[in-house]
Amino acid sequence: MPFAAVNGIDVYFELHGTGPPLLNISGSGNDLRRSPASILPVNRAFETLSYDQRGLGQTSKPETDYTMADYADDAAALIHSMGWASCHVLGTSFGGMVALHLAVRHPDVVDRLVLCCTSPGGDAPSYPLHELATMAPDEALALRLRLTDRRWDPAADAPIPGLGSYYDQMVAASTATPDPEQLAGLRRQLAARADHDVVADLSSIAQPTLVCAGRYDDIAPLENSELLAERIPDATLRVFEGGHTFMIQDRSAFPAIIEFLGGAS
């Protein structure tokens, strides 16, 4: 299995596709064993580097507190370990937060930046997902589904429009018995997420940036994406028909992302 020894940890990664280099940074709790990187539409146009972030999947799980700086430094070191001087960056949800810190801390490694269903933190935070752990499982699941897409209706044939079988996968995942080591890593990730704040640094991000939002997202509300697009100097906002999972719900999302990334000179 491919691992890169970077920033004091061993990072599990996968490379798929051909074309200009692209770093794909995924969301909270993501594990490439459950979310195959091989099927990402961006692989058709780019050499896409996907990886398990610290504390998750097959990557090292240090028993220390994690910070957003750690996650950004991991990403920068991983880029360099590939022999890439720089690359495009696609960050989704928590991955968008990491991408923001990466662009602030290591601007030279980022060519074009895509931020999906994410927030700058500070006065414009994403929903505090760590609070779900304090709720009863059924209550936490119901809230998470409503946050994912505010149109959620448990009485409807399609409880969340546009998700189809993915909705059933979300429900099944909520009842699975978590691995204690993976759960500990997720908790450390969510604790780092709670301290995320780059609002004061947004004006320093010089890269062409596409901010993508789901119209019905209550985890990363649309107004947070509007703030990102307003404060990042060379940013464009696109709003898609969906919630926090608009990249699955709206088939125009990935083509728009690929078109934007392909516009680099």
Side-chain angles (χ1 to χ4, degrees), residues 59-84:
T59 288
S60 299
K61 301 167 183 63
E63 295 182 3
T64 60
D65 293 338
Y66 303 163
T67 67
M68 294 305 300
D70 289 331
Y71 285 104
D73 293 349
D74 293 345
L78 182 61
I79 290 169
H80 288 309
S81 78
M82 297 294 110
W84 298 349

Side-chain angles (χ1 to χ4, degrees), residues 15-167:
L15 278 169
H16 298 283
T18 58
L22 168 66
L23 178 68
N24 172 50
I25 313 178
S26 56
S28 300
N30 193 70
D31 183 332
L32 290 177
R33 292 171 296 188
R34 296 196 311 266
S35 303
S38 60
I39 64 174
L40 288 172
V42 289
N43 298 343
R44 297 194 293 265
F46 302 95
E47 183 180 21
T48 307
L49 171 61
S50 300
Y51 66 106
D52 289 334
Q53 299 190 65
R54 66 168 54 216
L56 302 175
Q58 298 174 80
T59 288
S60 299
K61 301 167 183 63
E63 295 182 3
T64 60
D65 293 338
Y66 303 163
T67 67
M68 294 305 300
D70 289 331
Y71 285 104
D73 293 349
D74 293 345
L78 182 61
I79 290 169
H80 288 309
S81 78
M82 297 294 110
W84 298 349
S86 62
C87 63
H88 301 318
V89 175
L90 166 61
T92 302
S93 192
F94 176 81
M97 299 178 191
V98 175
L100 284 163
H101 285 268
L102 177 65
V104 170
R105 292 176 62 84
H106 305 277
D108 291 345
V109 306
V110 181
D111 293 332
R112 286 194 164 216
L113 182 62
V114 177
L115 304 169
C116 294
C117 52
T118 197
S119 302
D123 294 334
S126 287
Y127 184 86
L129 294 178
H130 60 278
E131 294 183 358
L132 296 180
T134 66
M135 302 177 184
D138 289 348
E139 179 186 5
L141 174 60
L143 177 56
R144 182 156 199 147
L145 291 171
R146 182 186 63 75
L147 291 169
T148 295
D149 190 313
R150 73 174 65 102
R151 297 171 296 173
W152 175 65
D153 178 3
D157 291 336
I160 299 180
L163 283 190
S165 62
Y166 188 76
Y167 167 81

